[in-house]
Amino acid sequence: MSDHGSVPDIEFRSASKHYGGVAAVEKFDLVVEAGTFLSILGPSGSGKTTSLRLIAGFEQPTSGDILIRGQSVTDVPPYRRAVNMVFQHYALFPHMTVAQNIAYGLRNQRPRLDNAEIARRVGEALELVQLPGFGDRRIFQMSGGQQQRVALARALVNRPNVLLLDEPLAALDRKLREDMQHELQSLQRELGITFVLVTHDQEEAMSMSDVVCLMNKGRIVQKGSAQELYDRPADAFVAGFVGKSNLIAGTATAADGTTASIVMDGIGRLSGQRTNQAAPLAAGQAVTLSVRPEIVAVVPSTQTLGQDLDIRLEGRIVNRIFLGDLTEYRIHHPVLGNVLARRSRQADGSASSFEKGDAVAFGWRSADVLAVS
Amino acid sequence: MRIYAWLVYFFLYMPIAVIVAFSFNSGRYAADFQGFSFAWYGRALANPFVTKALVNSLIVASVTAVLSVILGTTAALALERLRGKLRAVFDSLIYVAIMVPGVVIGIATLVALASVFDAVNSLMASLWPAAWGSAPRAGLGYGSIIAAHTLYTLSLVILVVRSRLVGMDHSLVEASADLYSTPFNTFRTITLPQLLPAIAAGFLLSFTFSFDDFIIAFFVAGPNTTLPIFVFSSIRRGVTPEINAIGTMILGVSLILLFTVQVLLRDKRQGNAAEAA
């Protein structure tokens, strides 16, 4: 393990997992470099949890191979793998105290650690998750957020090469979840070990991780930084799943290396910038335009839209959601259906708020629209 | 509706209440309450036939409970891994074992044991060297009562342990494996402690059943007398307050044990609620 830099912590080599002929994970190829915070993001049933369970060893791949630090672990049982997991519902042992839970992994290590060493490391782990002095508590005396920290300590105390986290924040309320997101991120930086986090929450994945791996139907759809996924989605699924977006599907009437356009009845030509220039796209093929809500400008129908907008439409407000610094509007358009627009609060209050039923003019710049295949 | 309910309870519990009340009667006639006294309890416990029957009952009930718990828990664990048709077959067999009337278990066990003993005894007699004296003979006794009781209480233990096993979070076992624990160590340190309340409840249920049972024991007891059999045979000589005192003691022990079972199984529910919270 001297050559940290060169050997990736985890490597999937065309790993597949089938349940009775149904593929949960299909031809999975993924390399996780040491010290990375990787999120596996996807809707439920996309195979993200199965991929995590393959690393932990609770599932065996039907075909392909999985390597931990360059060693194939396909035939290694879970209790001999140097990875530790934080379970979705924590899976703390209810008949043990907090300290006994944390010490459990240390007590199973061979050669045996002496009691003083175990006590010292349990104490350190409790410090690390900011629960000093809680060792003698029973699990049911701890709140949800505290149980989460105990689960984290129980995994980290073993100093694993890789920490696996299965939707660890799903059961926490919003405020606690945001605090834990920051804590997990700083813990990972502090410890420098690889974190693999599974989540269906795109905000969670994007806010914490260095690399996001987006899965759908058992396959990896796109892998990259959060910004890459947002700004250059590989296809319509990514554009729709990562961040909110208005997706307009159609048939390309014209396409070249950088732009693609479609023609809609009653509107005319709509176009966008291509994000995945490697994928060939020609006129006559299906294409989807992704219009992010933040690029949609809205003014009362009595006013005129800014001159820089080349797409100009009219509609009626059907719904409004106040988000504090932002307000989200749902605008009905006879051809496009409902269009989502997001306006930030203006310091001078000039972008007056609209009410349900207001007639508005809205539009965007084609240069800001993404075209995905 | 309310009067009807009271009547039902009256008919159910009045006879028991009468027995309990008259066990404290100082007079010697069951129907005539003369004054409060513990005298009949003293008489009952001083009677060597009663104490012998009580010791027999305690031995049979203890061994039955221990055997049922060991066999029942291992069976429940094995059944948990079974899937499909085979599991359905075993599940229904367990329920059938509980629903079969005691009389049937009694007769069936008696007939089965008698034919096994016949075969074994004649085989032993023919093989036994004449120089060693007469061959030992297998016969009805403690063993046969324990075997017949275990046949029944085994199913009780399986059901109680299984329901706990189903309620157990499987991720606990995975978490243990994730923390370097071998499968055997996981069983010892995680699964077994989780099952303990159910195992204890199964033990007490088996003990209570075996201690109280008359029907099955009556068929297979042979020369041995358990407490319920003693009570039955004494009644033929008329109901005395001594019998009332014995009955009340059996009732008291059974109620205490069943109450303990309730507490053990309730603790389990609270434990689960705490896990979920």
Side-chain angles (χ1 to χ4, degrees):
Chain A
M1 284 175 218
S2 53
D3 46 356
H4 262 203
S6 57
V7 179
D9 262 353
I10 292 171
E11 197 175 344
F12 284 85
R13 285 190 187 159
S14 192
S16 298
K17 176 68 189 176
H18 295 229
Y19 294 104
V22 182
V25 168
E26 184 71 14
K27 298 231 177 340
F28 206 78
D29 276 301
L30 180 67
V31 174
V32 186
E33 299 297 344
T36 315
F37 195 139
L38 174 100
S39 288
I40 301 178
L41 173 67
S44 53
S46 58
K48 55 188 192 302
T49 297
T50 305
S51 57
L52 200 70
R53 293 173 61 83
L54 283 168
I55 304 174
F58 303 138
E59 311 283 354
Q60 296 300 317
T62 317
S63 63
D65 202 1
I66 294 162
L67 291 83
I68 296 178
R69 292 237 164 144
Q71 302 284 318
S72 169
V73 292
T74 304
D75 297 320
V76 179
Y79 53 91
R80 297 231 175 81
R81 296 192 185 192
V83 296
N84 287 109
M85 183 146 158
V86 176
F87 288 78
Q88 186 169 9
H89 300 292
Y90 318 140
L92 297 171
F93 307 128
H95 57 291
M96 297 183 188
T97 64
V98 167
Q100 285 168 339
N101 263 279
I102 297 173
Y104 191 79
L106 297 176
R107 294 209 178 279
N108 289 323
Q109 285 189 10
R110 299 291 177 273
R112 284 178 187 278
L113 303 172
D114 62 52
N115 285 338
E117 167 77 358
I118 290 175
R120 190 181 61 75
R121 281 175 65 177
V122 168
E124 276 176 13
L126 282 169
E127 294 273 345
L128 188 69
V129 297
Q130 297 167 35
L131 286 175
F134 280 77
D136 292 332
R137 296 273 188 106
R138 308 290 306 203
I139 295 305
F140 58 83
Q141 292 172 317
M142 308 290 277
S143 71
Q146 289 171 331
Q147 290 188 13
Q148 161 75 71
R149 287 158 194 268
V150 175
L152 205 56
R154 187 178 69 173
L156 287 174
V157 77
N158 304 296
R159 299 173 187 159
N161 297 337
V162 179
L163 184 72
L164 308 173
L165 303 113
D166 184 12
E167 305 249 6
L169 310 180
L172 302 180
D173 61 52
R174 189 190 170 92
K175 177 78 178 69
L176 212 50
R177 198 163 63 223
E178 283 172 2
D179 290 348
M180 280 309 289
Q181 284 179 9
H182 285 286
E183 271 184 53
L184 278 179
Q185 206 174 8
S186 49
L187 260 179
Q188 195 264 338
R189 297 223 173 104
E190 199 178 311
L191 300 170
I193 62 176
T194 304
F195 276 33
V196 179
L197 176 127
V198 155
T199 180
H200 66 274
D201 182 341
Q202 47 114 357
E203 270 179 48
E204 196 170 293
M206 294 178 76
S207 61
M208 283 192 284
S209 36
D210 307 319
V211 181
V212 179
C213 171
L214 183 61
M215 286 187 73
N216 190 31
K217 294 175 185 163
R219 292 171 185 275
I220 298 177
V221 185
Q222 191 173 2
K223 184 190 158 195
S225 71
Q227 200 178 345
E228 276 166 16
L229 263 64
Y230 192 85
D231 290 342
R232 291 196 299 280
D235 64 15
F237 173 79
V238 183
F241 197 83
V242 178
K244 288 184 179 178
S245 191
N246 298 294
L247 297 179
I248 305 165
T251 305
T253 49
D256 57 32
T258 53
T259 60
S261 41
I262 60 176
V263 172
M264 302 278 290
D265 290 342
I267 299 177
R269 204 176 73 96
L270 293 173
S271 65
Q273 310 299 310
R274 294 195 44 200
T275 56
N276 189 358
Q277 287 159 8
L281 183 66
Q285 286 183 305
V287 69
T288 300
L289 300 182
S290 161
V291 183
R292 296 280 185 200
E294 62 266 24
I295 69 164
V296 180
V298 192
V299 296
S301 56
T302 51
Q303 293 178 23
T304 324
L305 285 161
Q307 290 304 312
D308 55 333
L309 305 180
D310 54 344
I311 302 296
R312 293 157 175 271
L313 303 164
E314 288 188 348
R316 200 168 278 281
I317 303 282
V318 290
N319 197 18
R320 163 188 125 135
I321 298 168
F322 180 67
L323 298 170
D325 53 339
L326 296 170
T327 307
E328 224 171 67
Y329 295 103
R330 215 168 269 279
I331 306 163
H332 183 75
H333 182 271
V335 177
L336 297 174
N338 285 340
V339 174
L340 203 61
R342 197 180 255 192
R343 304 314 298 157
S344 58
R345 196 191 192 102
Q346 301 292 312
D348 58 356
S350 62
S352 56
S353 75
F354 305 102
E355 297 302 328
K356 196 174 160 184
D358 285 356
V360 292
F362 68 100
W364 57 78
R365 272 162 29 107
S366 290
D368 296 331
V369 175
L370 304 176
V372 289
S373 43
Chain B
M1 195 61 210
R2 191 173 264 181
I3 292 171
Y4 176 75
W6 280 115
L7 278 175
V8 169
Y9 282 117
F10 183 81
F11 280 114
L12 266 179
Y13 290 111
M14 201 53 200
I16 298 172
V18 166
I19 282 185
V20 173
F22 275 88
S23 71
F24 298 109
N25 188 2
S26 60
R28 65 173 296 100
Y29 297 106
D32 180 17
F33 198 90
Q34 292 183 334
F36 185 84
S37 152
F38 283 110
W40 294 106
Y41 286 86
R43 287 273 301 262
L45 292 174
N47 183 339
F49 293 108
V50 174
T51 47
K52 177 73 180 119
L54 179 65
V55 168
N56 283 347
S57 276
L58 288 175
I59 291 172
V60 168
S62 310
V63 178
T64 298
V66 169
L67 279 179
S68 307
V69 159
I70 294 171
L71 296 174
T73 306
T74 44
L77 287 166
L79 284 173
E80 192 59 20
R81 298 193 167 189
L82 219 53
R83 294 273 169 267
K85 264 193 186 141
L86 202 57
R87 174 154 181 177
V89 168
F90 274 106
D91 277 354
S92 37
L93 282 177
I94 291 163
Y95 284 107
V96 167
I98 286 180
M99 288 191 304
V100 168
V103 179
V104 177
I105 294 183
I107 296 173
T109 321
L110 179 62
V111 171
L113 288 175
S115 25
V116 169
F117 289 156
D118 278 351
V120 170
N121 285 341
S122 56
L123 188 68
M124 283 292 277
S126 65
L127 292 177
W128 200 257
W132 294 5
S134 60
R137 292 181 60 82
L140 297 173
Y142 287 135
S144 52
I145 313 177
I146 290 166
H149 279 177
T150 307
L151 206 63
Y152 180 88
T153 53
L154 186 62
S155 315
L156 290 180
V157 176
I158 293 177
L159 282 187
V160 175
V161 174
R162 272 272 297 280
S163 74
R164 172 81 180 175
L165 213 50
V166 168
M168 212 181 112
D169 187 357
H170 185 69
S171 64
L172 293 183
V173 172
E174 288 185 345
S176 174
D178 189 60
L179 295 164
Y180 322 125
S181 183
T182 58
F184 177 74
N185 192 51
T186 296
F187 175 74
R188 195 176 59 81
T189 56
I190 306 298
T191 312
L192 207 54
Q194 291 287 301
L195 293 181
L196 215 52
I199 293 173
F203 180 91
L204 294 176
L205 281 176
S206 306
F207 186 93
T208 312
F209 171 82
S210 175
F211 189 71
D212 291 350
D213 172 70
F214 167 72
I215 304 174
I216 298 176
F218 187 70
F219 282 97
V220 295
N224 288 356
T225 303
T226 63
L227 206 53
I229 295 177
F230 173 81
V231 171
F232 177 76
S233 47
S234 331
I235 264 172
R236 282 186 274 187
R237 281 176 268 123
V239 179
T240 68
E242 190 180 338
I243 294 297
N244 289 344
I246 297 170
T248 305
M249 284 190 282
I250 295 179
L251 182 71
V253 170
S254 305
L255 284 181
I256 289 168
L257 292 181
L258 288 177
F259 180 75
T260 316
V261 169
Q262 281 296 312
V263 170
L264 283 171
L265 293 180
R266 178 153 354 112
D267 262 349
K268 157 199 145 180
R269 263 168 256 141
Q270 278 170 352
N272 282 354
E275 280 160 42

